């Protein structure tokens, strides 16, 4: 498929800048990919579509405060540093993005905090904006991480045109988040409240967890028209035996399996066998999914409404069918659904 096939007009005012007041009370569009039927609901009505023995799969990655602001030695120029991942705990090496990148060269020192108490040295260039930093901190690793994160802020997506606020530390995080490593929240999971999870549990809907540490590559602009030529950034992924057993038993017994978010969909597509059964997996995935694609593990997907030309939109279109999903997005714009990580939800049934 072509990149231009995923372009649509999205009014700026439909991009959510704040989340719904209550997690499970955003709007939810339900799309039947077989019939094309579209209905409109509140998210907590999700429970009506699942029964005892069905399985929901969540991504338990945890977002860390990845965006830092510092200054460059001598010039004092303001520098934004976006932490991507820790490369070496012992030497306090981090893979980061810097802005403005043209001002940051190997050997430069960067200072963070009101008192410039946190210092980092640039030791390598990785991409045009990418750098490797070595933090010069004399103390235990746990103490260093605590001090570093205290200086950071919630890494809201760039389409949210405001500074991160204290409330974002909680709201841009799934309530079941556990394994630290993401710089992008699995947005579909943000709608689940403790009350809704409890109601699903009482109804007998099982839950399973995998881990995919969502990275900035999800927002990387695609610069090729032919999608087969685009390469995704790799993301650290883990699908364990417990989840494999839950999912395969459910499938053997004819129950529904629902992926909560595109990150879950990518991880499952990475860990699926040729016979359609799930297997354990631990490692990196750069799987790029766009139509057509044969999904064999899940028969339903919960997702937010994504930006035009985004890899997440392409994955949703692969799951629900290109024509069906693009028609649903057209309806979403007309009905003024809210787009983005803090926006409304879509449930696709196959």
């Amino acid at each position: 498929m072509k990149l231009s096939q995923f372009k649509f007009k999205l009014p700026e005012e439909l991009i959510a800048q704040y989340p719904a007041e209550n997690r499970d009370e955003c709007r939810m569009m339900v799309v039947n990919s077989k019939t094309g039927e579209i209905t409109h609901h509140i998210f907590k009505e999700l429970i009506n579509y699942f029964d005892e023995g069905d399985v929901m799969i969540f991504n338990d990655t945890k977002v860390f405060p990845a965006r830092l602001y510092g200054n460059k030695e001598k010039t004092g120029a303001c520098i934004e540093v976006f932490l991507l991942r820790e490369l070496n705990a012992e030497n306090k090496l981090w893979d980061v993005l810097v802005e403005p990148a043209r001002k940051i060269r190997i050997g430069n020192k960067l200072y963070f905090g009101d008192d410039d108490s946190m210092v980092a040295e640039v030791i390598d260039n990785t991409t045009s904006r990418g750098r490797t930093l070595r933090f010069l901190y004399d103390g235990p690793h746990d103490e260093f991480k605590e001090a570093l994160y205290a200086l950071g802020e919630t890494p809201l997506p760039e389409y949210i045109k405001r500074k991160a606020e204290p409330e974002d530390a909680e709201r841009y995080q799934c309530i079941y988040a556990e394994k630290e490593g993401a710089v992008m929240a699995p947005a579909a999971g943000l709608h689940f409240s403790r009350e809704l999870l409890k109601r699903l549990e009482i109804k007998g809907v099982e839950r399973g967890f995998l881990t995919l540490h969502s990275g900035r590559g999800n927002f990387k602009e695609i610069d090729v028209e032919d999608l087969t030529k685009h390469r995704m950034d790799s993301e650290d992924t883990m699908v364990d035996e417990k989840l494999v057993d839950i999912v395969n038993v459910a499938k053997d017994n004819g129950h529904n399996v629902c992926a909560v978010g595109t990150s879950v969909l990518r991880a499952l597509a990475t860990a699926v066998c040729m016979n359609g059964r799930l297997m354990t997996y631990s490692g990196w995935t750069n799987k790029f999914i766009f139509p057509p694609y044969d999904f064999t593990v899940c028969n339903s997907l919960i997702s937010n409404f994504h930006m035009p030309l985004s890899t997440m939109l392409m994955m949703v279109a692969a799951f629900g069918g290109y024509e069906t999903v693009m028609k649903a997005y057209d309806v979403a714009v007309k009905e003024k659904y809210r787009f983005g990580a803090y926006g409304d939800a879509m449930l696709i049934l196959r």
Side-chain angles (χ1 to χ4, degrees):
M1 293 198 80
K2 304 298 183 185
L3 175 65
S4 54
Q5 291 176 265
F6 295 92
K7 185 176 183 179
F8 64 93
K9 188 173 181 180
L10 177 60
E12 193 78 21
E13 64 270 18
L14 295 187
I15 301 175
Q17 300 298 301
Y18 288 90
E21 185 174 348
N22 297 310
R23 286 182 183 266
D24 58 11
E25 292 183 353
C26 70
R27 297 168 73 192
M28 179 179 70
M29 178 187 289
V30 177
V31 180
N32 188 314
S33 66
K34 288 182 180 177
T35 65
E37 182 186 15
I38 293 174
T39 55
H40 306 284
H41 306 266
I42 300 299
F43 189 79
K44 58 187 176 184
E45 295 173 14
L46 174 80
I47 194 168
N48 299 330
Y49 292 88
F50 296 92
D51 295 307
E52 184 176 355
D54 292 343
V55 174
M56 283 190 177
I57 307 172
F58 299 89
N59 182 2
D60 64 5
T61 187
K62 187 175 183 180
V63 177
F64 64 92
R67 184 174 279 118
L68 306 176
Y69 295 95
N71 61 86
K72 186 182 171 186
E73 65 174 335
K74 297 179 182 176
T75 68
C78 183
I79 304 295
E80 178 182 323
V81 172
F82 197 100
L83 303 172
L84 296 176
R85 60 178 173 266
E86 189 171 38
L87 300 173
N88 184 293
E90 184 180 353
N91 295 313
K92 302 179 179 67
L93 299 181
W94 279 78
D95 183 19
V96 307
L97 298 176
V98 295
E99 192 70 41
R102 58 187 168 77
K103 293 186 176 181
I104 308 302
R105 298 185 174 91
I106 294 174
N108 288 159
K109 284 190 171 66
L110 306 177
Y111 296 86
F112 304 92
D114 294 337
D115 57 356
D116 291 344
S117 58
M118 182 70 73
V119 185
E121 181 181 11
V122 182
I123 64 169
D124 196 12
N125 297 329
T126 53
T127 63
S128 59
R129 292 180 57 212
R131 301 290 185 271
T132 301
L133 297 187
R134 178 172 58 218
F135 284 90
L136 310 176
Y137 188 92
D138 187 19
H141 183 259
D142 289 348
E143 184 183 289
F144 158 69
K145 287 282 284 286
E146 185 178 343
L148 181 65
Y149 286 179
L151 296 169
E153 65 176 38
T154 303
L156 296 177
E158 291 175 1
Y159 55 72
I160 295 181
K161 306 294 186 183
R162 63 174 176 84
K163 294 276 287 180
E165 299 171 10
E167 292 77 15
D168 291 309
E170 178 200 354
R171 289 307 304 268
Y172 194 64
Q173 192 86 269
C174 300
I175 61 170
Y176 47 78
E178 182 181 343
K179 295 170 183 168
E180 181 187 285
V183 298
M184 171 185 163
L190 298 177
H191 305 299
F192 284 85
S193 64
R194 286 178 174 78
E195 292 77 15
L196 179 55
L197 287 176
K198 189 64 180 177
R199 289 174 62 210
L200 287 164
E201 182 185 330
I202 291 170
K203 193 171 183 179
V205 177
E206 291 197 70
R207 73 181 77 140
F209 296 92
L210 55 75
T211 306
L212 185 143
H213 294 312
S214 304
R216 292 271 287 184
N218 291 280
F219 296 121
K220 186 167 71 174
E221 190 172 320
I222 299 177
D223 55 8
V224 289
E225 176 68 0
D226 181 356
L227 295 182
T228 62
K229 292 182 168 60
H230 178 67
R231 295 292 174 265
M232 288 287 291
D233 290 352
S234 293
E235 296 174 315
D236 197 8
T237 308
M238 202 271 286
V239 177
D240 65 16
E241 195 169 341
K242 182 178 180 182
L243 177 65
V244 168
D245 290 343
I246 291 171
V247 170
N248 288 338
V249 167
K251 286 176 65 65
D252 289 345
N253 290 317
H255 293 297
N256 296 309
V257 178
C258 178
V260 180
T262 55
S263 64
V264 170
L265 212 54
R266 178 181 286 117
L268 294 175
T270 302
V272 68
C273 300
M274 293 294 289
N275 63 5
R277 292 173 68 80
L278 196 60
M279 63 181 180
T280 59
Y281 182 86
S282 181
W284 296 87
T285 181
N286 64 350
K287 187 172 280 293
F288 177 34
I289 298 173
F290 57 91
Y293 192 88
D294 184 23
F295 293 92
T296 55
V297 177
C298 298
N299 62 354
S300 58
L301 169 69
I302 300 167
S303 185
N304 280 29
F305 290 94
H306 301 292
M307 299 297 113
L309 306 176
S310 66
T311 60
M312 289 87 78
L313 169 59
M314 294 166 191
M315 204 182 316
V316 172
F319 186 85
Y322 173 79
E323 300 289 346
T324 300
V325 168
M326 297 311 288
K327 177 189 172 186
Y329 268 58
D330 186 49
V331 172
V333 170
K334 288 187 172 75
E335 295 292 327
K336 294 184 166 33
Y337 274 77
R338 289 158 30 103
F339 282 66
Y342 276 160
D344 295 317
M346 171 189 279
L347 170 63
I348 299 178
L349 305 172
R350 297 172 76 202

